[in-house]
Amino acid sequence: MPVTPPQISPVEEQEKYLHDALGIVKAQAFHMKRALDKNKLMDALKNASAMLAELRTSLLSPKSYYELYMAITDELRHMELYLVDEFQKGRKVPDLYELVQYAGNIVPRLYLLITVGLVYIKTNTSLRRDLLKDLVEMCRGVQHPLRGLFLRNYLLQCTRNVLPDTPESEEDCPEGTVKDSIDFVLMNFAEMNKLWVRMQHQGHSRDRHNREREREELRILVGTNLVRLSQLESVTLEKYQKLVLPGILEQVVSCRDAIAQEYLMECIIQVFPDEFHIQTLNPFLKSCAELEAGVNVKNIVISLMERLAAFSQRSDALGSEGANILQEVQLFVVFSNQVSSIIVNRQYLPPEDMVALQVALVNLALKCYPDRIDYIDKVMLSSVEVLQRLGLEHIESHTSVAKELQKLLKIPLDNYNNLLMVLKLKHYAGLMQHLDYFGRKALSIYLLTNALDNETVVPTAEETEQALTLLSTLVSDKNEHPVGEVDMEELAEEQCLLARFVHQLRSDTPDDQYLILTAARKILVTGGPLRIKYTLPPLIFQAYQLAYLYRDTKDAKWEKKCTKIFQFCHQTITALVKAELAELPLRLFLQGALAIDQIAFENHETVAYEFMSQAFSLYEDEISDSKAQLAAITLIVGTLEQISCFSEENSDPLRTQCALAASKLLKKPDQCRGVATCSHLFWSGKSLASNGEETHDGKRVVECLKKGLRIAKQCMDISVQVQLFVELLNHYIYFFEKGNDQVDVDILNQLIRKIREELGNLESSDEAEQITKHFNNTLAHLRLRMESPDGDRDVYRGIKLDPEEGGEVREEKGEK
Amino acid sequence: TTVEATRRLNVKKQTLDDAYAAPANFLEIDVVNPVTTIGTNLPVFKVKESSVRRRYSDFEWLRNELERDSKIVVPPLPGKAWKRQLPFRGDDGIFEEDFIEDRRKGLEVFINKIAGHPLAQNERCLHMFLQDPQIDKNYVPGKIRNT
């Protein structure tokens, strides 16, 4: 039975081959050096040849071959040094160049030829041009990709320091000029590229992945040719434009190999100076358009754009020459045109790459031409055209295209930090439309947040319209059909942003401000009930402020204008009512009434009355929750108390209405408190009847308080009763101190006695303690007044504070 | 004179298309049980890619045809499985894995050698073997002209 050999891994196999080869190299190198020591050149050449024969192998991987190559070429240096030494001492070996060509195998033959050729060149520069040409052509003899690449690499490395680098001249120059070097390197490069590309077709198709990896490992061998070209100092811009770049690009484009193209284009960018790139953009970018489908052209173009943008910024800083370059070259225009061309010509360019290119263009424009807003607009327009041509509408937010588009749209904003600049871009809105609903919404929030953070003021009606139209996804959801339910919290957050933004819409010119407000309302009103409750109130407050402004600046037609403003406000608040809101419009009407009262334009009493009655209607028709009612009526009373413009004809019904409404509240305690509050209307409330002074109708005040007492007595819960009594006592004391003659010491004493009585009947509890405290504080207040050295002690005479007279109650629990 | 005799040859510059074109000798045949796939860009084969099912007896048939009609020394086939077809064996018989793999390799080497040989490449039997879905054993033997 045959025994299967032990399985060696490919890695172990390689190690073995390499190890064996290196052993032979070491041995032969030793013999070679010994022969050279004894001046036995022929023997040394034989050893060198045997050593070089190891490079004929097909068994090694590129990595291992490289190691072997390094070891051997290191040893060859000894041969070279020996020969240079001999030649310089005048002991030239006749026909050595021909002699080495008798080596039997081509690989050793050519390595030796190169080594000897180098010696010749070093010791006699007049042979340089012809020798270099001969060597680069002879290397064609090795067509095996791996062996050929390393052979030509040897040629390139050997000739590193001897390439002619002088400008061309009319005379014949056997030493060679820079043109000869360019020809030499370009030929070497073309042949190496050919071999490198050929590797792609070696081996079985299933090993393609490995092969490509190996090719990547070898790319630096090909790239070194480009480096060498960049090191030639006599390569002027002109030479680069006419000879070097066309020579390279021809190979890159014709080879039709994606790996080679992607690497070499990047190589060109890295290796040659920016001054050259900036003057050769058109041919370079044109070539980019012709590259294979698998090449990531986007990265190449963007890499170049970023480099040149940085370069031009540095040049700018360095002085006028830099600025001239920018003017001369029209960096943006060239890139813009070429990028369009690339996009049109490359069918397989994914849409997100097309947009990424636009992003790079915008960044270029902003870096190099910051005040050319038309450049940015051009990019916006190009992007719109690209997306239209691709038929990409409503791009879903999670896709790469959408992400790039979002990025693009944010750049102008992030750069200028000024929403107004963004509004100047005519194609911005159109471009934004290509995002889907969520994308547009997210961007709108971003725009808004930026405007708020930077406190951007929108000073005209036109810009207001533009801004709000841009933010349309936040303003309303008409024409959109977002799936799923509305998240109320999110909505509230968004609308608050929008509401804050409303305050940024302002002009210093009052008339313009009015136009802004009307324009804004027109748009915001389309938001529907969910939104307007956030966005219309700030508008109304802005309107109120505008009215004050008109009054203060004493504009020619200020009174008419104020009337118009309050009409505007009335309409706007009504819109909120129609949206089935109640408390909000109520407050807004009340606020309005106050403003109207203060601004006092022609006919303002009528308008104020209208606002108050609207508030009342809302109270009566729309507010049914008892807690809300109490709050509302308190507000109404508070407002009315401050208004002084009403005649008796108007103020009486309003005050009476208040008292009536208060007494009709559902819960007794609320009624009591409501009525007590109303009492103040008749004291500190002002009207035309009292010439704008406080009414001081003591009688009606006391009527209210008495009613309050009656209601309190109707409360079933004793502790509530007592609480209310204490509160009423405080009201009485207030009016007493204000000089209401209808409130006398007797009334106070009666009430104090009553309270003390009832407190005695209360079971001890936290509540009872609170009420007791309240009562005691009230009495303490009185005591303080009675004992104070200044003030009217006389007024307080007769008030009985002590228990025997009817004084304080002990606060300890358990005591009765 | 020696100078003339050893003068460098003038070589016509290679066109870019030639330089970078894929080599025109691509021929890859994979035997993957039981299907044989063929890929090639050789001009002599009309179909550039094909995939056919062949039995061991088909390989035998091909070998016989080529031995009779072509001028090449036809390489041997991997062994037939006489013993393995007998019942009552301890192992899986003709379905045992190592046997299958060895045979597969052998057939692959065999067919690649033949298809790569210029003197076999224009035999009709080979073309039928590599490209036609069914082998017609009643075919007319002969050579294919390279058009």
Side-chain angles (χ1 to χ4, degrees):
Chain A
M1 289 272 288
V3 177
T4 47
Q7 297 286 15
I8 326 173
S9 76
V11 173
E12 285 169 336
E13 254 185 358
Q14 285 292 300
E15 279 175 11
K16 182 175 182 309
Y17 292 142
L18 181 60
H19 177 79
D20 292 345
L22 287 172
I24 295 174
V25 167
K26 199 159 165 202
Q28 291 297 338
F30 173 75
H31 290 305
M32 178 185 83
K33 281 180 277 199
R34 222 172 47 168
L36 290 176
D37 286 341
K38 293 187 187 151
N39 285 319
K40 290 189 174 161
L41 182 59
M42 291 303 125
D43 287 346
L45 285 172
K46 274 209 190 73
N47 293 127
S49 198
M51 183 174 72
L52 285 163
E54 291 305 309
L55 287 176
R56 299 176 62 211
T57 180
S58 298
L59 295 173
L60 293 176
S61 70
K63 237 191 222 142
S64 307
Y65 193 92
Y66 172 72
E67 252 194 80
L68 183 60
Y69 163 88
M70 288 305 287
I72 294 174
T73 52
D74 259 353
E75 300 297 347
L76 275 181
R77 293 280 74 72
H78 296 286
M79 171 71 76
E80 183 198 326
L81 286 170
Y82 172 83
L83 287 171
V84 168
D85 197 46
E86 287 295 296
F87 275 49
Q88 279 174 343
K89 287 191 180 133
R91 291 198 289 270
K92 287 198 183 157
V93 179
D95 300 325
L96 180 59
Y97 194 74
E98 210 186 272
L99 229 155
V100 293
Q101 291 180 58
Y102 284 99
N105 294 307
I106 191 164
V107 168
R109 180 160 75 239
L110 290 177
Y111 275 93
L112 285 175
L113 190 63
I114 293 169
T115 313
V116 167
L118 180 65
V119 172
Y120 272 54
I121 291 171
K122 278 185 175 171
T123 52
N124 184 354
T125 51
S126 66
L127 299 171
R128 195 163 57 177
R129 182 188 61 194
D130 292 339
L131 276 174
L132 287 173
K133 189 156 187 286
D134 199 45
L135 289 172
V136 79
E137 283 179 357
M138 289 289 266
C139 286
R140 262 206 220 106
V142 178
Q143 286 295 317
H144 182 270
L146 188 64
R147 296 195 282 271
L149 280 171
F150 276 98
L151 177 66
R152 285 190 177 273
N153 179 259
Y154 182 64
L155 174 62
L156 197 61
Q157 297 292 23
C158 279
T159 54
R160 175 169 67 237
N161 297 320
V162 300
L163 288 178
D165 200 359
T166 53
E168 267 183 280
S169 71
E170 303 238 324
E171 312 144 6
D172 180 47
C173 197
E175 287 187 358
T177 65
V178 74
K179 170 135 195 337
D180 298 305
S181 294
I182 293 173
D183 289 342
F184 172 83
V185 178
L186 279 178
M187 165 153 309
N188 199 47
F189 166 68
E191 290 295 313
M192 284 181 84
N193 197 33
K194 179 175 90 180
L195 294 174
W196 190 39
V197 169
R198 187 176 295 163
M199 280 180 79
Q200 189 70 16
H201 306 291
Q202 282 182 312
H204 199 283
S205 40
R206 74 175 87 95
D207 293 327
R208 190 169 61 104
H209 188 63
N210 278 339
R211 219 166 21 258
E212 287 180 351
R213 199 176 35 81
E214 286 180 349
R215 281 192 62 199
E216 293 282 349
E217 287 172 4
L218 295 169
R219 66 190 187 182
I220 187 70
L221 297 179
V222 182
T224 307
N225 290 285
L226 301 188
V227 173
R228 194 69 73 243
L229 285 168
S230 75
Q231 289 166 338
L232 294 168
E233 292 185 7
S234 300
V235 171
T236 58
L237 173 62
E238 200 195 331
K239 286 233 164 3
Y240 180 78
Q241 285 170 318
K242 292 209 174 110
L243 287 174
V244 174
L245 187 63
I248 300 172
L249 287 178
E250 187 184 43
Q251 298 301 322
V252 172
V253 172
S254 321
C255 75
R256 289 208 283 272
D257 174 87
I259 293 178
Q261 287 179 337
E262 198 163 314
Y263 170 67
L264 290 170
M265 291 305 260
E266 270 294 347
C267 211
I268 295 173
I269 297 174
Q270 301 294 337
V271 142
F272 291 104
D274 294 333
E275 287 86 351
F276 284 5
H277 294 315
I278 210 165
Q279 305 278 11
T280 52
L281 283 176
N282 277 316
F284 185 88
L285 292 172
K286 226 187 247 155
S287 299
C288 280
E290 297 169 25
L291 299 178
E292 293 299 291
V295 177
N296 191 332
V297 168
K298 171 198 85 169
N299 285 352
I300 296 171
V301 175
I302 291 180
S303 158
L304 189 57
M305 268 199 257
E306 288 175 356
R307 227 187 139 93
L308 293 182
F311 169 72
S312 66
Q313 279 192 316
R314 279 198 313 272
S315 317
D316 240 4
L318 289 172
S320 61
E321 208 185 282
N324 285 341
I325 295 182
L326 275 183
Q327 288 287 46
E328 209 186 285
V329 169
Q330 303 242 24
L331 212 55
F332 176 81
V333 175
V334 173
F335 268 113
S336 176
N337 290 337
Q338 290 293 349
V339 164
S340 297
S341 173
I342 287 171
I343 287 177
V344 163
N345 287 330
R346 295 184 70 79
Q347 299 165 288
Y348 302 107
L349 196 62
E352 55 266 25
D353 281 8
M354 296 187 193
V355 181
L357 284 167
Q358 306 301 326
V359 168
L361 272 173
V362 157
N363 284 328
L364 178 77
L366 284 171
K367 255 204 183 117
C368 301
Y369 306 93
D371 32 331
R372 293 295 297 264
I373 197 160
D374 59 320
Y375 281 168
I376 312 214
D377 216 4
K378 169 117 194 9
V379 176
M380 301 279 132
L381 177 60
S382 307
S383 310
V384 167
E385 288 170 349
V386 164
L387 293 173
Q388 270 176 357
R389 215 184 41 240
L390 292 172
L392 289 174
E393 310 279 330
H394 307 299
I395 303 172
E396 286 178 29
S397 326
H398 59 86
T399 60
S400 326
V401 195
K403 292 203 176 103
E404 286 294 327
L405 188 52
Q406 289 262 9
K407 208 163 138 188
L408 180 61
L409 289 164
K410 284 184 184 170
I411 292 174
L413 186 70
D414 289 338
N415 187 275
Y416 293 117
N417 275 318
N418 185 346
L419 182 62
L420 299 177
M421 289 299 267
V422 171
L423 294 176
K424 286 197 171 65
L425 296 168
K426 293 192 226 113
H427 300 102
Y428 190 91
L431 186 56
M432 201 172 151
Q433 283 299 111
H434 284 271
L435 289 169
D436 70 353
Y437 173 74
F438 297 104
R440 274 178 286 138
K441 193 139 87 98
L443 186 62
S444 299
I445 293 177
Y446 193 81
L447 289 166
L448 253 191
T449 313
N450 183 290
L452 291 171
D453 288 343
N454 288 293
E455 298 178 13
T456 311
V457 171
V458 181
T460 67
E462 196 186 333
E463 283 163 311
T464 299
E465 261 181 63
Q466 287 171 341
L468 290 175
T469 311
L470 205 60
L471 303 169
S472 63
T473 45
L474 295 178
V475 167
S476 91
D477 56 24
K478 289 202 174 102
N479 305 327
E480 312 279 0
H481 305 282
V483 179
E485 291 191 5
V486 180
D487 182 331
M488 294 311 281
E489 253 181 58
E490 233 179 69
L491 184 72
E493 262 183 56
E494 288 161 19
Q495 296 305 310
C496 281
L497 281 178
L498 198 50
R500 282 172 61 198
F501 184 63
V502 169
H503 289 293
Q504 299 300 118
L505 311 170
R506 52 177 197 271
S507 163
D508 291 331
T509 316
D511 288 347
D512 288 341
Q513 177 69 354
Y514 181 71
L515 291 171
I516 287 178
L517 294 175
T518 39
R521 185 182 71 177
K522 196 156 157 221
I523 299 177
L524 290 171
V525 126
T526 61
L530 291 175
R531 292 184 178 76
I532 56 175
K533 70 178 176 196
Y534 295 99
T535 55
L536 293 186
L539 213 56
I540 294 165
F541 277 98
Q542 288 277 55
Y544 291 159
Q545 282 184 7
L546 182 59
Y548 277 104
L549 193 63
Y550 271 124
R551 179 196 67 175
D552 292 340
T553 59
K554 284 281 174 255
D555 181 287
K557 301 199 192 130
W558 74 276
E559 293 189 287
K560 279 223 167 64
K561 291 183 183 174
C562 284
T563 312
K564 216 161 164 210
I565 287 176
F566 284 105
Q567 271 170 6
F568 171 85
C569 294
H570 190 282
Q571 272 175 352
T572 314
I573 303 174
T574 309
L576 290 169
V577 174
K578 289 210 182 102
E580 299 185 17
L581 297 163
E583 276 128 359
L584 180 62
L586 178 108
R587 286 170 167 267
L588 291 169
F589 274 127
L590 292 177
Q591 189 76 52
L594 280 176
I596 294 165
D597 179 58
Q598 289 180 350
I599 293 173
F601 51 93
E602 199 182 319
N603 256 336
H604 69 293
E605 192 194 337
T606 323
V607 186
Y609 190 80
E610 166 63 16
F611 272 56
M612 287 303 297
S613 38
Q614 285 294 338
F616 252 112
S617 303
L618 279 170
Y619 171 79
E620 282 164 10
D621 299 337
E622 305 295 336
I623 299 183
S624 47
D625 174 69
S626 53
K627 229 190 184 119
Q629 279 184 335
L630 176 61
I633 199 63
T634 312
L635 265 178
I636 294 175
V637 168
T639 308
L640 192 53
E641 194 262 356
Q642 291 182 59
I643 295 182
S644 56
C645 69
F646 288 135
S647 59
E648 205 170 325
E649 192 171 75
N650 283 330
S651 67
D652 265 353
L654 284 173
R655 289 175 186 169
T656 314
Q657 273 289 78
C658 285
L660 208 60
S663 65
K664 285 209 201 131
L665 289 169
L666 182 68
K667 302 190 192 144
K668 292 286 173 194
D670 290 343
Q671 282 180 15
C672 172
R673 288 180 176 118
V675 158
T677 309
C678 284
S679 66
H680 291 271
L681 285 175
F682 300 104
W683 188 261
S684 49
K686 308 183 193 78
S687 73
L688 292 181
S690 53
N691 286 325
E693 298 295 321
E694 295 189 2
T695 306
H696 289 200
D697 186 347
K699 205 156 138 262
R700 295 204 66 181
V701 168
V702 166
E703 265 173 38
C704 287
L705 293 180
K706 277 209 178 110
K707 177 136 191 173
L709 283 172
R710 278 203 298 279
I711 298 172
K713 287 187 185 132
Q714 291 169 11
C715 292
M716 290 205 63
D717 185 336
I718 306 293
S719 59
V720 172
Q721 259 193 43
V722 181
Q723 174 64 44
L724 290 171
F725 286 151
V726 176
E727 287 174 29
L728 285 164
L729 174 61
N730 276 278
H731 281 289
Y732 271 113
I733 294 171
Y734 172 81
F735 288 115
F736 178 75
E737 291 180 352
K738 288 291 178 188
N740 183 347
D741 54 10
Q742 300 289 314
V743 179
D744 57 20
V745 173
D746 284 333
I747 295 182
L748 294 180
N749 286 334
Q750 262 177 36
L751 195 46
I752 291 172
R753 215 175 18 247
K754 178 79 183 168
I755 293 170
R756 192 171 289 120
E757 215 179 281
E758 296 297 337
L759 269 177
N761 292 332
L762 275 185
E763 281 181 20
S764 64
S765 68
D766 285 338
E767 232 174 63
E769 216 178 294
Q770 286 279 40
I771 299 168
T772 312
K773 235 190 198 125
H774 193 182
F775 181 54
N776 285 337
N777 284 343
T778 312
L779 295 179
H781 166 81
L782 285 172
R783 186 182 306 275
L784 201 64
R785 278 278 188 260
M786 287 167 78
E787 292 170 359
S788 117
D790 43 61
D792 332 307
R793 273 191 279 182
D794 291 342
V795 177
Y796 293 88
R797 194 167 301 162
I799 298 181
K800 302 192 168 71
L801 296 177
D802 298 323
E804 302 76 51
E805 304 172 302
E808 286 144 35
V809 177
R810 316 272 283 298
E811 285 178 43
E812 288 103 319
K813 282 195 188 170
E815 292 260 349
K816 278 231 174 158
Chain B
T1 64
T2 9
V3 172
E4 278 172 23
T6 55
R7 189 172 51 82
R8 295 276 183 262
L9 295 172
N10 283 329
V11 184
K12 205 166 68 166
K13 188 163 150 62
Q14 191 183 33
T15 66
L16 287 165
D17 281 339
D18 273 349
Y20 289 111
N25 63 349
F26 170 62
L27 176 69
E28 214 170 71
I29 303 182
D30 294 316
V31 175
V32 185
N33 297 319
V35 170
T36 301
T37 55
I38 301 100
T40 184
N41 66 357
L42 290 168
V44 67
F45 293 111
K46 290 284 167 295
V47 179
K48 297 310 170 193
E49 275 178 14
S50 64
S51 187
V52 296
R53 289 178 96 89
R54 294 287 177 256
R55 306 176 53 124
Y56 185 85
S57 51
D58 295 332
F59 281 83
E60 281 184 318
W61 168 84
L62 176 66
R63 190 170 191 284
N64 290 335
E65 295 295 301
L66 288 174
E67 270 214 321
R68 191 190 65 227
D69 290 342
S70 82
K71 294 193 174 55
I72 67 170
V73 175
V74 188
L77 281 173
K80 189 135 187 164
W82 284 119
K83 293 202 197 122
R84 287 187 173 253
Q85 281 180 343
L86 293 176
F88 312 122
R89 286 177 58 89
D91 58 16
D92 292 333
I94 61 168
F95 295 108
E96 194 181 309
E97 276 181 35
D98 282 348
F99 167 71
I100 290 178
E101 180 55 17
D102 285 345
R103 170 183 271 198
R104 183 200 73 73
K105 274 200 203 125
L107 292 175
E108 198 172 86
V109 167
F110 170 81
I111 193 64
N112 272 288
K113 274 199 186 140
I114 291 185
H117 200 300
L119 291 180
Q121 274 171 0
N122 57 359
E123 293 291 334
R124 191 167 289 146
C125 57
L126 179 63
H127 281 238
M128 194 163 60
F129 181 91
L130 292 179
Q131 294 173 141
D132 293 355
Q134 302 286 3
I135 293 184
D136 176 10
K137 301 225 166 114
N138 296 322
Y139 84 116
V140 177
K143 310 268 188 268
I144 306 256
R145 269 182 216 269
N146 216 355
T147 40

